[in-house]
Amino acid sequence: MLNDTIINAERELYLTLLELAQQQPIAYEWLKQLPTWLNAIKDKANYAHAPAYQASVARLPTLTVNNVDLNSDTLTIDASLNESERKQAMALLKQLMPWRKGPFQIGGQIGSQIGNDESGIKIDTEWHSDWKWQRVAPHLGELKGRRVLDVGGGSGYHGWRMAGAGADTVIIIDPSCLFYHQFMAIRHFVGASDAHTYAHAKDRGRYRTHYIPVPLEALPAHSQLFDTVFSMGVLYHRQSPFEHLQQLRGQLVKGGELVLETLVIEGDANTVLVPHDRYAQMNNVYFLPSVAALVGWLEKAGFSDVRCVDVAVTSTEEQRKTEWMTYHSLADFLDPNDSTKTMEGYSAPMRATLIAKR
């Protein structure tokens, strides 16, 4: 028997935007485009694997879920699985590989280490996205009750953590067909556990975490709908970084908070690396500024109160090959004789998180 997870999630998204539009009319522009956005991600003409991904989500077994912990480093779904359900769910989730952002746990012994408990399913993703959240979260403004946009949110791990931190509404955007269906697979098991519980609110029971499968530039410009906007791991993929910063600013309310995480290099305010060909074997990396240069970019784009809250060199423990992501990973992209450099001879990946106000 097939489930209605995707249909239900998309209906919840529509109703959330409809309620928002009654307060913020610009959201009607989102509603007008929503059918096109949602139909495009499922169109085989656009994405050859879309029908297979949809089928994998639709065939996931319905489990008895006891609790969902959105505040755990491993996003944890405490559910009862028999062996047949575990094998079925495991096989279907593996059809949605590679899993890059997580980790997630479905059933099994809660609190056990990834891979150490065979009674549940542990999705050990390429990235320890929980490590990034641990670095970023202490520096964030209050998320409770806020409307949040997560740009380039991948499978949705960080979006779920934002909901766990109390955000009123989280909208994740990412144009990846695979990531969209990975989010829907996790949504299937999360169910309504992230729903509003206000006793008298008209949106009681409405999901708080949503996913729109589009890039930032597809959104109506200057919507000014969000109290907090996250852009983590996106800026260096943009051919026009200033345009990206201005688009982020356009989604923020006045006084709203931007959380920007991106690759950086050492240097002064005039230092920017433009890789000639590839960077760490990525052919879509365009600009790597120093922290000082990035501060200047943000100020030039109209942000204020810019501060760098974290700088961290990415380790091969944080980004690595796993059972759920079997392709090449960071260790394969570094100089085998000098791990402080990429294969191309550039400095190894280092990421900075900056926070700014509109």
Side-chain angles (χ1 to χ4, degrees):
M1 182 176 178
L2 302 182
N3 63 64
D4 294 324
T5 295
I6 295 178
I7 293 173
N8 291 338
E10 292 179 346
R11 182 180 63 244
E12 287 285 324
L13 169 60
Y14 173 83
L15 293 173
T16 295
L17 290 176
L18 183 62
E19 290 176 359
L20 177 58
Q22 294 170 7
Q23 306 168 23
Q24 304 285 343
I26 186 64
Y28 282 117
E29 297 302 316
W30 292 53
L31 280 168
K32 289 178 185 177
Q33 298 185 59
L34 187 60
T36 299
W37 292 339
L38 298 181
N39 288 332
I41 205 68
K42 304 187 198 76
D43 188 345
K44 187 176 181 179
N46 298 328
Y47 304 98
H49 296 294
Y53 295 156
Q54 291 175 62
S56 294
V57 174
R59 291 164 55 204
L60 287 168
T62 299
L63 306 178
T64 299
V65 175
N66 304 310
N67 183 58
V68 174
D69 188 352
L70 300 179
N71 288 311
S72 173
D73 288 340
T74 299
L75 194 149
T76 303
I77 298 152
D78 181 4
S80 302
L81 293 86
N82 59 40
E83 185 61 14
S84 174
E85 290 169 334
R86 190 185 77 84
K87 288 182 177 179
Q88 179 186 0
M90 175 85 79
L92 292 167
L93 291 168
K94 286 204 168 183
Q95 289 178 15
L96 297 175
M97 289 171 56
W99 286 79
R100 297 193 182 276
K101 293 186 179 181
F104 304 95
Q105 176 177 341
I106 303 160
Q109 184 179 343
I110 304 305
S112 63
Q113 293 295 313
I114 289 285
N116 289 348
D117 177 16
E118 296 184 356
S119 64
I121 299 170
K122 310 296 179 63
I123 304 179
D124 188 10
T125 49
E126 177 188 18
W127 280 91
H128 258 296
S129 303
D130 50 319
W131 294 10
K132 181 181 293 188
W133 188 250
Q134 290 168 10
R135 293 194 296 265
V136 171
H139 307 287
L140 300 176
E142 180 65 60
L143 288 182
K144 188 173 182 179
R146 292 170 75 93
R147 192 179 303 125
V148 179
L149 179 67
D150 183 17
V151 177
S155 67
Y157 173 86
H158 289 124
W160 292 117
R161 296 302 304 270
M162 295 165 200
D168 183 81
T169 301
V170 178
I171 295 182
I172 304 159
I173 62 169
D174 195 304
S176 167
C177 181
L178 175 61
F179 295 161
Y180 180 70
H181 289 93
Q182 288 177 346
F183 171 83
M184 290 299 174
I186 299 302
R187 163 57 78 191
H188 173 73
F189 296 112
V190 170
S193 296
D194 69 324
H196 288 288
T197 56
Y198 304 137
H200 303 294
K202 62 182 177 181
D203 59 354
R204 179 184 173 128
R206 183 109 309 124
Y207 292 176
R208 291 186 293 126
T209 316
H210 307 277
Y211 203 116
I212 303 179
V214 295
L216 176 63
E217 55 268 25
L219 299 180
H222 308 294
S223 294
Q224 299 184 40
L225 288 175
F226 298 94
D227 304 295
T228 307
V229 170
F230 288 81
S231 172
M232 300 194 291
V234 178
L235 184 67
Y236 50 88
H237 290 311
R238 310 313 298 164
Q239 294 183 20
S240 178
F242 278 95
E243 184 178 9
H244 182 71
L245 294 178
Q246 289 161 356
Q247 289 166 345
L248 293 170
R249 187 173 182 273
Q251 298 301 327
L252 277 167
V253 300
K254 186 176 181 180
E257 183 172 85
L258 172 68
V259 181
L260 179 71
E261 190 259 15
T262 190
L263 289 171
V264 295
I265 58 170
E266 299 283 358
D268 62 18
N270 297 310
T271 305
V272 180
L273 170 65
V274 182
H276 178 68
D277 185 13
R278 292 173 179 260
Y279 174 85
Q281 291 298 289
M282 294 183 286
N283 63 1
N284 60 346
V285 173
Y286 298 100
F287 297 92
L288 278 68
S290 67
V291 170
L294 187 53
V295 169
W297 288 8
L298 285 162
E299 291 174 343
K300 191 175 182 68
F303 290 94
S304 62
D305 299 332
V306 182
R307 56 196 175 99
C308 178
V309 298
D310 182 77
V311 178
V313 175
T314 305
S315 71
T316 53
E317 288 76 36
E318 182 173 1
Q319 183 189 8
R320 73 274 190 256
K321 183 187 303 185
T322 74
E323 177 187 354
W324 293 82
M325 205 299 293
T326 58
Y327 305 115
H328 287 172
S329 192
L330 179 60
D332 304 292
F333 307 146
L334 299 178
D335 184 331
N337 300 312
D338 184 356
S339 62
T340 67
K341 296 185 179 301
T342 69
M343 290 184 67
E344 302 85 3
Y346 301 117
S347 297
M350 179 170 65
R351 294 170 178 269
T353 302
L354 282 75
I355 295 179
K357 299 289 185 183
R358 173 177 172 146

